[in-house]
Amino acid sequence: MKLGFLVDLHLCMGCKGCEIACKVENEVPLSTWRLRVKYVDVGTFPETKRTFTPLRCNHCENAPCERICPVSALHYIENGIVNIDKERCIGCAGCVMACPYGAIYIDPETQTADKCTYCAHRVASSMMPACVVACPVQANIFGDIEDPTSNISKYIMDHNGNVQVRKPEKGTNPHHYYVGGGNVTLNPLASFRVEGHSLFNKLTHLPVGGHH
Amino acid sequence: MYLESRRTFLKGAAFTVAGAAIAKGVFTTDAIAESVSESKFTNTPDSLSFYPPLDQWEDFKELDGDDWKRGGIARKGVQSAENPDGIYVNDFAIVPTACSNCEASCGLTAWIDKKTFTVKKYMGNPLHPGSRGRNCAKGYAAQSQMYDPDRLAFPIKRAAGSKRGEGKWVRTTWDEAMTTIGKKMGDTLRVGDELSKKSVMFHVGRPNENGFTGKFWETLNTDAFNSHTNICSSGGRTPTIMWANDDRTSPDWANAKLVFLNSSHAADAGHYFQQSASFIADARKKGAKLVVMDPRMSNSAGMADLWIAAWPGTEAAIYLYLVNRMLQENQVNKPFVKKWFNWEVMMDNKDYLNFMVKKGYIKALPESNTFDAYMEMLKELYTPYTLEYAVKETHVPAYKLEQLYEMFIWADTSIASYFWRATAAGNRGGWVSGRTGYLALGLRGAIGPKGGTFFHHWHVISVAGKGGAATVGQGKRGANVPKVDVWNELTWPPEWPLSNYEMSYLLPHLLTDTEWQQKWIKRGLNVPTKLAVWIPRMYNPVWINPDGFRWLEVLKDESKMELTFNLSPTWSETNWHVDYVLPVGLAGERHDQHSEATMPARWTSFRQPVMRVALEKAGWKPKNPNRATLEAHIKAGLGEVWEENEFWFDMGVNYIDPDGSLGIKKMWESKKNPGKPVTISEWYDAAFGDNLPNLKSTATSDPRYKNAEFPVYEYMRDHGAWMEENHIYSPQEREIKEVGDKYISHGHEYDKHHVEIDKRKPMHTAMHGNTQTVKYLSVSRSTVRRWRVSQLWIKNLTSSRSGLRLMSGNGLSMRFLSTLVMMKRRKR
Amino acid sequence: MVHESIAATNAVVTLDVALPGIVWGWIITMNMWAKSIGTGVIFMLFYLLKKYPTESASFRFPVALVSFVFINIFLLFTVIDLHQMFRFWHIFFHPHLTSAITVGAWMATLFVGLLLLLLFTSFIKKDDAQFDKVLLWTTILAIPVTLYTAGLMAQATARELWQMPTESVQMILAATLSGSATLLLMDTFVNKLSYEAKRDLGIILAFSALAAFILYMAELVFGPMKAEEVIATLAYVKSGGEYQTMFWIGQVTAFIVPFVLVLLSIVNRSSNILKLAAVFAIGGLWVVKHVWLVIPQLLSMS
């Protein structure tokens, strides 16, 4: 069994229901995000569009974070999920350096590395991840990618196998796919980040999960 | 499982160096592996569900997300007596309720860990036909509201001797507050004159329920129920009131071909956001097109197939352009228009036709009063609204408007649209966009069919105030509640006879404007010059309303508002200036029946205090069954947080009218336990059971509930949501029932001798008094003609003061207010 | 880049969370810098003992001591950078051998052990032969100890700028640069080296500086021809970039100035200029390493 995730970007409308569901389900501390939805506006008025891209850990088959972790705090479990261990983690932040997707953050409360776990605790209880349940437009598809009859496999085939992943050239072989994704949504270098790129403040960077 | 985990461990052990022998894992593997294999948890489940089945809601075990961070069950196992270091297992009781963070009433479930009796999270309610188990960000955030450290945990009151706004608060008890408030309300009402019936005012911000408090105010026999609608949605409701005497649109998003949003609503934000957005997504999956009309690039506009960035306030020009083109290019749905527009009323109104000629809207009177003549006249009337006109007014490029027209025609009758925010909210003249929008929709016949736009009241269940059968005095569905026979000038000032809603933002001005008061007093009206009691509810006019400083002035003036209290769990600028702040709960902390028109069906949510329900299921019983919610919250550690239903039941019976002399006590006295207030289960069993026949028959025949004392209540308690009827399309086509000497239409009864039948139209009309009085006519209205009202569209709106339903273009000067859609019955 | 070119594909991020800033900062720079010195002096000692055995005899103990001190500085900064520093022992009790960090930590520990042995044999036992035997193993171990950081940087898939081939060479060059510079400065106190020995050290210094400089310039000019991420990262050291000034200060003080000074010293047969070159090299190396560590972390990953 290999669990995979698929986001249909044709449906996502940037409501952030998934972000908050994740926060509540996993008690993610303030100012850190396991899952977030990024807005990128494209075009020039009057022909403009807004794209929405949910971004979370890709649970790579060949995870650079798992490889670099000196103590196996980040480890594989048999269903393909890359799991965390806050008691083992020494906070070296090697994983933060290694992850090409910026999915890992240092939890300011435990001072250890943390990231999306595909709600492994829910999976172990035979339940879907919280973000999958919350999404009003069911843009999140989750299931066993090794099973050709699973919902996610069928969804991929409904789109003729035309799914995208983030940064495929890094050789990480992610288990997280997108339908309707492209350069603007999946390549961070394809969009311009202005100073203070949030609509409401001028914060671009926050100190990494606190102190040493 | 055991073997597998051991194998996995050994596989890992082969790679680690000698250090493995020192590593913890070796000695506790067996205990860990066993703790997992003996539980239901596994990292390789056979299937994944969105929600557990209903029969597991009272006892559902799920691993904890925060504790899982310690490495999961592969490293730590499942917590048990033998394995205390394992991953924590939540022992959930899942209790359904409804969200209260907007008006959509999406279903929620509270996941209560029975070991600690805390709500760990709120998720959705899979049984809710509108929200379908999904929620927006606000729904999940309800958990942080419940445990917010800044919320109020007990009633507080202004310290004796201090002034309002000084911030000198002391803790008090519910009993003290209710005694003081009840006495003031009772004393005021006991005076018994007309003025007293205008002086005890309830001012609702966010209702989140369908009719309970309104009913309570009726039983007080007062006309003092105020809303915030005039600074909010009255611009959105007015077009629907004008066209069909209904309240707002109810679009069938999921089956639409064209989703035409007039504002960012529905896919972005707004009144029913999450449910609408999910239905719109369903439609788009099937090939529907999304058009968003919005001056700014909202999220909906950003993902739309076509974004019309009209200059703010010019949206009506676009609808008029569509109307004009449809008329010129013969794209009108003539059978629909002929059957459902009251074109005969217009063609017979010679005065108005002459007025239009005089104004130059048409060149000459039509030659006949036939339908064809009407269509020809319309064609002429709308000729000025060309593409060039629209482009000039709206600054939208011509090619976009043409594209819009093509989509409009392509979608045939499956055009779903919504008139509410944006132009309609709080903008002067904003109701015009909805008014013109309906014309465009109506001419295409997109009113009623699958994928089209319809009206609110056909898709809503309003029974929160209809549990009267459980009381001594109300009678079934409130039949015996006496009609109110006063008219409050503070909410309906005579200067504005055509206002669709209470002129609530004028309240402080009217209270202080002695000249205005004297003017009407001299003409014989009993205008109140002060309020004895003012009760806002989830409303913050100091912040929200224009001229907030005037609100502050009046709030602080004890001679203008003698006693004020806010039913609210949190602080606000307004709360700071009242006498009492009484904490009543939010989403998972109160009882409400709450239904909204989000799909062509009639569904309702049942909002519940989840801790109370969970405690009751665990065997707890309240000492005082009339204060069960309060006791449950105290026990659950939320503090003295109560709810409005029980509060008002108790007020009505024990504090406002303790000896029953006002006739209010019996209205809320329990039939089952006379002398005591009606209880939640009694009230809701009647409210749901007497008004929803499908629900009643389902609940009473269900083996789980049929032998219960309150089967319908218990059914709703366990399910949290109910759909009474689905696939409600074109209900205007339904036959009006005749029973004896009454006509029955949409749940209302009309005496046959009150009904006039016009053979030409053909149309039934009736003067319908709703529970507020009909016969009171203000002085200014005597100069206005007697209005006719279509019976199918008479609703118990607080706003539908009969006599104010506007018919075909009488008296209103705008040239495009030419016709009114009315539903009528074909004469047999 | 793509986003700036065409009106239709013009793309701007309009809403996102604040991203983490620099994770590995000056503490890690200290770590790398101290390790370069710690291993570098061992390389230099080995060389000097082979080529100039009599002159360098008295360097045995001082170099071992300097190496020991700097390796411990390196270890100290490594540990204090951890967000859970008291758990560092997990690396030994829950090791994950695919990680360059783990392998490096184990090797560094062994290296410290060997250094202790060196100190013992030179200071307590005073047995030069045994010292030299241990030194051989120490020198051999010093190579992977120097290189593992490059491996660590290469394992950081996110940072395109840190490529194993160049970083390996840079690490070795940093060791030889700082090692030779340190020995030159140490000779101020020991004062036993002949002009030829010092000249050799100077040549090693100059060659290391030249080679390192060539590598950095090659990356600066040709790197952008290969990968978009490299373009974006190097933008920080090119015109208008936050780290442009610091980058060039580093390049000049660590490489150009020492190289020129060494050439001058050879022409003039002066060894005093060599000391000046050494100071510049050691100071500049810190700056160079810091810039190269920090700039890839400024790039947003998502």
Side-chain angles (χ1 to χ4, degrees), chain B residues 65 109 319 360 391 441 770:
Chain B
T109 42
Y319 291 120
V391 168
L441 290 173
N770 61 11

Side-chain angles (χ1 to χ4, degrees), chain B residues 562-584:
Chain B
E562 293 175 343
L563 173 67
T564 57
F565 72 96
N566 198 334
L567 292 156
S568 164
T570 56
W571 283 109
S572 72
E573 290 78 2
T574 302
N575 285 2
W576 194 252
H577 295 89
V578 300
D579 297 324
Y580 284 88
V581 186
L582 303 179
V584 288

Side-chain angles (χ1 to χ4, degrees), chain A residues 25 47 72 79 85-86 136, chain B residues 43 69 75 121 134 399:
Chain A
E25 182 69 42
E47 297 303 332
S72 276
N79 54 26
D85 186 339
K86 68 179 182 181
Chain B
N43 278 332
K69 296 175 193 170
R75 286 196 175 176
K121 57 183 169 173
R134 318 169 197 178
Y399 72 91

Side-chain angles (χ1 to χ4, degrees), chain A residues 36 39 41 43-44 64 66-70 86 88-89 91-92 98 110-111 166 170 190 192-193 204 206 212, chain C residues 3 7 10-16 19 24 81 83-84 87 90 96 98-99 102 157-160 229 302:
Chain A
R36 56 190 232 271
Y39 291 10
D41 288 2
T44 311
E66 190 275 344
R67 176 177 56 207
I68 207 177
C69 180
K86 68 179 182 181
R88 183 79 71 85
C89 177
C92 71
T110 62
Q111 291 295 311
R166 293 162 65 192
K170 298 285 188 182
F192 182 54
R193 229 176 240 273
T204 50
L206 279 182
H212 286 76
Chain C
H3 62 82
N10 169 42
V12 181
V13 175
T14 46
L15 183 67
D16 198 2
L19 300 176
W24 282 357
D81 185 63
H83 289 258
Q84 284 286 353
R87 291 188 192 171
H90 283 188
H96 187 210
T98 59
S99 167
T102 302
T157 310
R159 322 290 162 185
E160 190 72 46
E229 260 183 67
S302 55

